[in-house]
Amino acid sequence: MPVEQHSDPFEERLSAALHQVGGAFDADRAALTTAGAAHGRRLALRRRAAFVSGAAGVALAGVGGVLLVPWGGSPADSRQASVAADGPPVRSASSPNAAVGKEEMIRTLEKLLRKSLPEGGTISNEEGRGVGGQGLDARPFASAVYDDGKGPAALSVSLGRVEPGGPEARKQTECPAKAFVPYDACSTERLPDGSAFMVLQGYEYPDRRVDTKLWTANLVTPSGQHVSVREWNAAAEKGASASRPQPPLSQAQLKALVSAREWRRIVDAIPENPRRRAGNPFAPRQGAGAPAVDTLSGLIPKGLRVVEKNDDGGPEFAYAVVDDGRGRSLVEVNVQPGMGDVAGDLFHPGDETLPDGTRIAVHRGPGEKGGDGVRMWTVDTLRADGRRVVVSAFNADTQQSAATRRSPALTVEQLRQIALSPKWWQGS
C-alpha cells in the first residue's frame, strides 16, 4: 500500500530550503536525523516509512555548496537575498580592518571570471551578499550570468567555514555515491597547500527531467575555509531552458576560480558565531555500536552478491547494491535509538505487534525519486524501548534510474529478518 505521509512546518521549511539549494532534492527523514535536532528529527520521521541516506542527504545538500552554512543557519536565506536586500558590511573581531560588502563580492566574482574566461564575454544579472549581510548565519555569495556568445550561463560562488577535518569538510570534497546522486564525472584532488578540492559534473534535477546541467566545485582549506562554485548550462538555476551543451567553465577553470586567494580573505572576515564556541546543536548525532554497513553486509541473504556499498563507518545508516543475477537492487537501512515518542505517527492499530512489544509495519509502493518503474518495499520496526530499524529495498540500483527488475531482490520476509536482527544493537 502507498506510504502515508505527514508534514509539519519544520519539514516544510527545510524541504523548501533543500529544493532551493540542492536541485529539488526532497527533504527526507534521515537527512533531518543527521541534522541532529531531536524535535526536528522526530517530526521529520513522521513523513514516510521509506527513507534516503542521512549521509547521502547531507552530501547532496553539501554538493550544492549552500546548505552547510557556517553554523547551521537557514539555507533558504542564503539563496534568496537580492543585491538590494544586503545589509552593511560587518567587521570581524579577528580581522577588524576587513569589511566585505555585496559590491566587493560581486566585483571579485567579475574580476576572477574575466581572468578565467575568454575575452569578449558579457557578465550581467549580478547579485550578491556581503559578510554579515543577513545575520551571522547568512553565507556571503555572488552570482551572475555569463555569455561568451555560445549561450548564457548562470554562475555562483558562496563562502563559509566548516570544521577542519570534520564530517562536513569531508562531505564537501568527497564524490557522492551514484546510488543517490547521478552525475557524469567526479574527481577529487589534494592541492599543494593541503586544501581538498572536488569537482562534480552532474545535473540540476536528479531525475534529469530537464536538460539543465549543474557543475559544482568545492574547496576546503586546512583551516576550514569553504568555497563553493556552481555553474549551469542555462541562464538560471531553475525555470530556464538549457542554452548551451555544457556550462562554460572547464574543470581547470573551476579549480582556478574556487582556489583564488581573494575568497579566502573574505572567509576570514566572517565574524565568529557564539554558537560555534558553545557547540553546534545541529551537529550529527553519533550513535554507539558497529558501523551499520558492516552489519548490513553480514545480514544480506545468501545468493545475493554485494556489488556496491557505502564506505563510511556511521552506526545509523548503510546502503548496499546487491545482484542475484537478475538485476541490481538497492537496499538501505536506518538505525535510530530513542524513537518511542513517535510510535503513534509511524504505526497503525492494524500493524503487527510481537510478544516482546516490537511493532512492525510493512509498506509497498512506488519509489520517490522519479525513477521510471521503481518500486520500494519497506519494513519498519520499533522495539518497546524505542529502538527503531527501517529497511528498504528497491527494484533498481538507484532511486533516480529506471527499474532494473520487476521487484526488489529481497523479499519482505528477508527485509523483516534483517530489521529484527539483534546485531544492530550489539555494543550499543
Side-chain angles (χ1 to χ4, degrees):
M1 66 180 178
V3 178
E4 184 176 2
Q5 295 187 352
H6 303 263
S7 184
D8 74 290
F10 177 91
E11 285 186 83
E12 292 169 0
R13 292 195 303 272
L14 186 53
S15 179
L18 283 166
H19 274 275
Q20 289 173 343
V21 305
F25 294 127
D26 191 24
D28 57 86
R29 285 196 319 275
L32 296 172
T33 299
T34 306
H39 175 68
R41 174 170 60 90
R42 285 164 172 77
L43 291 180
L45 282 165
R46 297 176 184 174
R47 180 162 188 187
R48 52 185 166 90
F51 59 87
V52 174
S53 150
V58 173
L60 296 181
V63 162
V66 180
L67 177 61
L68 292 176
V69 291
W71 305 284
S74 167
D77 289 345
S78 63
R79 290 306 309 273
Q80 290 181 333
S82 66
V83 176
D86 198 6
V90 173
R91 300 178 186 273
S92 80
S94 59
S95 303
N97 296 322
V100 180
K102 61 176 182 268
E103 295 86 359
E104 184 169 350
M105 285 292 300
I106 293 171
R107 284 197 305 269
T108 302
L109 176 61
E110 290 179 343
K111 180 186 73 172
L112 294 173
L113 284 177
R114 296 292 185 195
K115 289 174 61 176
S116 299
L117 295 165
E119 295 183 4
T122 62
I123 298 175
S124 61
N125 297 90
E126 301 94 330
E127 294 187 2
R129 176 174 52 241
V131 172
Q134 287 190 337
L136 292 174
D137 284 338
R139 290 175 64 113
F141 83 94
S143 63
V145 174
Y146 172 78
D147 192 345
D148 56 1
K150 301 177 182 179
L155 301 105
S156 72
V157 60
S158 64
L159 311 176
R161 294 195 189 103
V162 295
E163 180 184 356
E168 290 183 7
R170 291 192 298 271
K171 293 299 181 186
Q172 296 295 332
T173 54
E174 291 179 349
C175 294
K178 279 195 170 182
F180 301 103
V181 185
Y183 56 85
D184 293 329
C186 182
S187 62
T188 61
E189 183 180 350
R190 183 70 62 176
L191 304 186
D193 66 355
S195 297
F197 168 73
M198 180 204 73
V199 60
L200 179 79
Q201 296 175 332
Y203 298 87
E204 177 62 29
Y205 295 96
D207 60 5
R208 299 177 62 175
R209 58 184 178 269
V210 297
D211 295 329
T212 305
K213 293 184 178 180
L214 166 60
W215 291 2
T216 302
N218 280 334
L219 178 129
V220 175
T221 70
S223 63
Q225 299 161 313
H226 176 214
V227 184
S228 182
V229 173
R230 308 169 77 195
E231 60 169 341
W232 294 262
N233 64 332
E237 176 181 357
K238 294 180 175 67
S241 301
S243 56
R244 51 193 298 144
Q246 310 287 359
L249 275 70
S250 66
Q251 180 170 333
Q253 290 168 328
L254 281 172
K255 179 180 177 181
L257 179 58
V258 80
S259 60
R261 292 286 173 176
E262 289 87 339
W263 301 128
R264 305 186 194 192
R265 179 185 60 80
I266 296 173
V267 173
D268 287 341
I270 297 175
E272 181 80 9
N273 189 305
R275 290 207 304 271
R276 183 171 184 142
R277 291 192 299 268
N280 184 0
F282 294 96
R285 182 172 55 91
Q286 298 298 321
V293 66
D294 293 346
T295 304
L296 177 61
S297 298
L299 294 173
I300 294 295
K302 292 181 178 180
L304 293 175
R305 182 170 59 95
V306 176
V307 296
E308 182 184 338
K309 61 184 178 180
N310 59 298
D311 56 5
D312 60 42
E316 294 185 344
F317 171 79
Y319 81 88
V321 178
V322 301
D323 194 342
D324 58 0
R326 296 189 292 272
R328 294 188 171 199
S329 179
L330 174 65
V331 182
E332 300 174 349
V333 63
N334 214 8
V335 182
Q336 300 157 343
M339 298 303 298
D341 57 345
V342 295
D345 299 303
L346 301 171
F347 299 90
H348 302 287
D351 291 331
E352 181 183 3
T353 301
L354 301 181
D356 66 359
T358 299
R359 304 182 70 174
I360 303 173
V362 176
H363 305 271
R364 295 180 178 89
E368 298 183 336
K369 300 298 179 181
D372 186 23
V374 173
R375 303 290 296 173
M376 174 174 58
W377 294 354
T378 297
V379 174
D380 194 346
T381 65
L382 183 69
R383 293 173 180 250
D385 60 5
R387 294 181 295 177
R388 183 185 185 203
V389 178
V390 191
V391 184
S392 293
F394 304 81
N395 62 334
D397 55 357
T398 79
Q399 290 199 56
Q400 295 84 19
S401 55
T404 56
R405 49 190 299 138
R406 294 187 61 183
S407 60
L410 281 77
T411 66
V412 168
E413 180 57 33
Q414 288 172 325
L415 294 175
R416 173 193 169 101
Q417 291 175 6
I418 292 174
L420 292 175
S421 173
K423 293 182 178 181
W424 296 113
W425 308 109
Q426 289 178 357
S428 309

